Amino acid sequence: MLQHILSGWKNYLSKSAVTEIVAQQRASICATCPHAKQGKILAFIKDSLKEAEGAYCAACHCPLSAKVRSNDICPENKW
Ligand code: SF4
């Protein structure tokens, strides 16, 4: 899990175009999910994907900015 999240942050920082397209699709799904919550500390990390900005997944406790850009899977199999 940690390796997946670190990979996600790496993608977040490098911003691959392909990854961003996939990330955008995932972030849109997360935006409608009841597990997506706003985190107080994460609110300081800006993201071009506004659906993911400042949010984390309450099902796995991962920051969505990293998670939607990682090789990780949605714990609810939504993407
Ligand atoms: S990763 Fe899955 S469970 Fe978590 S917020 Fe996104 S859609 Fe919901």
Side-chain angles (χ1 to χ4, degrees):
M1 171 87 78
L2 178 61
Q3 185 178 12
H4 289 156
I5 297 307
L6 290 176
S7 169
W9 279 113
K10 185 178 166 202
N11 286 342
Y12 175 67
L13 294 172
S14 63
K15 302 262 180 168
S16 150
V18 173
T19 301
E20 280 300 288
I21 292 169
V22 173
Q24 190 153 34
Q25 293 168 341
R26 292 173 170 182
S28 294
I29 295 169
C30 290
T32 65
C33 176
H35 291 297
K37 308 287 184 191
Q38 285 296 309
K40 289 179 181 170
I41 295 174
L42 293 172
F44 294 103
I45 302 173
K46 298 303 172 194
D47 192 339
S48 58
L49 292 177
K50 295 305 171 192
E51 298 95 330
E53 186 175 276
Y56 69 97
C57 174
C60 65
H61 306 287
C62 300
L64 289 181
S65 289
K67 187 173 181 67
V68 298
R69 293 175 168 98
S70 77
N71 297 323
D72 206 357
I73 60 169
C74 166
E76 298 290 328
N77 293 318
K78 294 186 178 185
W79 49 259

